[in-house]
């Protein structure tokens, strides 16, 4: 049944459009044009955040930050093995999934560390990516409070996730 949902939805939209005498194809082309304009306006922000994430990892700063924050995370109830995941999660969704996969492989799927890592990955968001995309589309450049609040929320989510897994 689920294989028919999308084709049925498309047929429904076409039928409603024809009944309301909407130029369906022209509206579709107009929407595609707007999507391309949006893509072109967002692309510089998207590229900048991807470059920043890669530089953060390659420069060794991620490793130094991991070593510095491990004691703090341990005090908050986050296993020290999850420090890298907690740091990378706000930066890169794919990077955090790769770290999650490594943790599951290393510690086993049913281990406390892996279960906690899964909960942390699900409790967080790619804050910098979302901020770059959102603020580029609304033409807002003042990120003074939004990003720090989102990062604090991610940390609270990680602490809560580990507490719930325990």
């Amino acid at each position: 049944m689920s294989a028919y949902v999308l084709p049925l939805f498309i047929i429904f939209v076409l039928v409603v459009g024809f009944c309301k005498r909407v130029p369906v194809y022209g509206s579709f082309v107009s929407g595609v044009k707007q999507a391309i304009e949006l893509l072109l306006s967002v692309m510089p922000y998207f590229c900048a955040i991807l470059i920043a994430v890669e530089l953060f990892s390659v420069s060794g700063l991620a490793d130094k930050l991991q070593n510095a924050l491990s004691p703090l995370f341990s005090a908050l109830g986050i296993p020290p093995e999850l420090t890298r995941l907690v740091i990378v999660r706000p930066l890169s969704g794919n990077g955090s999934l790769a770290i999650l996969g490594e943790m599951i492989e290393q510690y086993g799927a049913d281990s406390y560390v892996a279960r906690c890592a899964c909960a942390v990955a699900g409790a967080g968001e790619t804050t910098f990516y979302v901020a770059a995309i959102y603020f580029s589309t609304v033409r807002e450049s003042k990120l003074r409070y939004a990003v720090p609040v989102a990062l604090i929320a991610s940390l609270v989510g990680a602490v809560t996730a580990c507490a719930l897994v325990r």
Side-chain angles (χ1 to χ4, degrees):
M1 178 66 180
S2 63
Y4 299 113
V5 171
L6 190 57
L8 289 174
F9 179 74
I10 291 171
I11 291 169
F12 174 76
V13 168
L14 289 172
V15 169
V16 169
F18 285 128
C19 289
K20 292 189 173 189
R21 299 180 190 258
V22 173
V24 177
Y25 184 72
S27 297
F28 176 74
V29 170
S30 174
V32 170
K33 182 180 176 186
Q34 291 175 0
I36 290 172
E37 291 170 1
L38 176 64
L39 177 67
L40 291 175
S41 70
V42 168
M43 190 56 67
Y45 297 95
F46 182 70
C47 289
I49 197 66
L50 288 177
I51 291 168
V53 167
E54 188 63 24
L55 287 174
F56 179 70
S57 296
V58 172
S59 69
L61 186 59
D63 295 330
K64 290 180 183 177
L65 193 58
Q66 177 180 351
N67 293 337
L69 291 177
S70 286
L72 172 66
F73 286 172
S74 293
L76 291 172
I78 300 172
E81 298 88 353
L82 269 64
T83 304
R84 187 171 187 91
L85 177 65
V86 173
I87 292 170
V88 172
R89 184 68 184 139
L91 298 170
S92 170
N94 288 335
S96 63
L97 287 176
I99 292 170
L100 177 62
E102 291 171 7
M103 292 181 137
I104 290 172
E105 189 175 305
Q106 181 178 358
Y107 297 103
D110 290 332
S111 68
Y112 171 69
V113 171
R115 287 184 290 133
C116 200
C118 289
V120 167
E125 180 58 77
T126 52
T127 303
F128 290 101
Y129 171 78
V130 171
I133 299 300
Y134 174 75
F135 285 108
S136 69
T137 57
V138 296
R139 307 282 190 248
E140 180 62 47
S141 61
K142 296 179 183 172
L143 303 175
R144 183 174 180 178
Y145 298 112
V147 172
V149 168
L151 291 174
I152 291 169
S154 288
L155 181 60
V156 169
V159 170
T160 304
C162 289
L164 289 173
V165 169
R166 216 176 302 127

